[in-house]
Amino acid sequence: EVQLVESGGGLVQPGRSLRLSCAASGFTFDDYAMHWVRQAPGKGLEWVSGISWNSGSIGYADSVKGRFTISRDNAKNSLYLQMNSLRAEDTALYYCAKDTHDSLELPVDWGQGTLVTVSS
Amino acid sequence: QSVLTQPPSASGTPGQRVTISCSGSSSNIGSNYVYWYQQLPGTAPKLLIYRNNQRPSGVPDRFSGSKSGTSASLAISGLRSEDEADYYCAAWDDSLSGAGVFGGGTKLTVL
């Protein structure tokens, strides 16, 4: 059974940084691309970033480009999202999600999310 | 403003068939697969349809997807009360450096 467990969320002041982590289990992690998708309170889903199995292909939404960095450690079965220069509009539940295959397509399996609140 | 356009709401009575549309452009739906997700209140999204019309194991065959040109649709037949949820379409967008894009979501109410 695929398990994706996010951590690292919390309350942070505008302009500060936060690093999210996602621990994956139940599948061969380095066989799949991975994604981060977020959902602001009461709003819809927004794709944030994705990374291929070997980190050779990476994509970002325009809203986070230049501020967020996605990475993965296949030896640790882990996905990360480094978030810098945080803004109030980054407040959301951040989901870690597994792709259909090794290159970037779209999420198949989702974690339960970790909440990030950006406020002074 | 979402890149993919969905109606904000849809409704039907038990047993009915409802469809939810998703409109995009040549850079997303027109040239890539469409995925559909169901999100029940307070839960993580769940994959309903992948690669336009493929159902993951465990998803009832009451749910079906189709795509034509730059639009896609999700059909739910034999509507049930437990289908009341938010539904999202998604596609990869090849414009600029590539990115995933979602529709704004459709709130389905079972009357």
Side-chain angles (χ1 to χ4, degrees), chain A residues 13-103:
Chain A
Q13 293 179 326
R16 304 297 291 264
S17 299
L18 207 58
R19 189 194 196 208
L20 304 184
S21 299
C22 172
S25 62
F27 65 100
T28 305
F29 185 69
D30 55 10
D31 277 352
Y32 293 91
M34 298 292 294
H35 302 266
W36 288 101
V37 178
R38 68 185 181 184
Q39 187 168 33
K43 302 297 184 182
L45 300 173
E46 180 188 15
W47 182 85
V48 173
S49 182
I51 185 169
S52 63
W53 71 280
N54 63 352
S55 305
S57 180
I58 288 176
Y60 297 98
D62 286 345
S63 57
V64 307
K65 205 169 289 185
R67 300 187 299 123
F68 289 12
T69 302
I70 191 172
S71 62
R72 64 189 295 162
D73 185 336
N74 288 344
K76 295 183 178 180
N77 289 348
S78 293
L79 177 72
Y80 306 101
L81 186 68
Q82 177 66 43
M83 304 186 295
N84 299 332
S85 304
L86 282 162
R87 306 166 179 166
E89 53 265 35
D90 296 319
T91 294
L93 185 63
Y94 283 74
Y95 293 104
C96 165
K98 168 185 162 291
D99 201 297
T100 20
H101 59 122
D102 56 3
S103 56

Side-chain angles (χ1 to χ4, degrees), chain B residues 56-73:
Chain B
S57 59
V59 173
D61 59 7
R62 302 187 296 107
F63 295 90
S64 62
S66 63
K67 178 183 127 172
S68 178
T70 59
S71 294
S73 291

Side-chain angles (χ1 to χ4, degrees), chain A residues 106-117:
Chain A
L106 284 168
V108 173
D109 297 291
W110 301 64
Q112 292 304 304
T114 186
L115 182 63
V116 172
T117 303

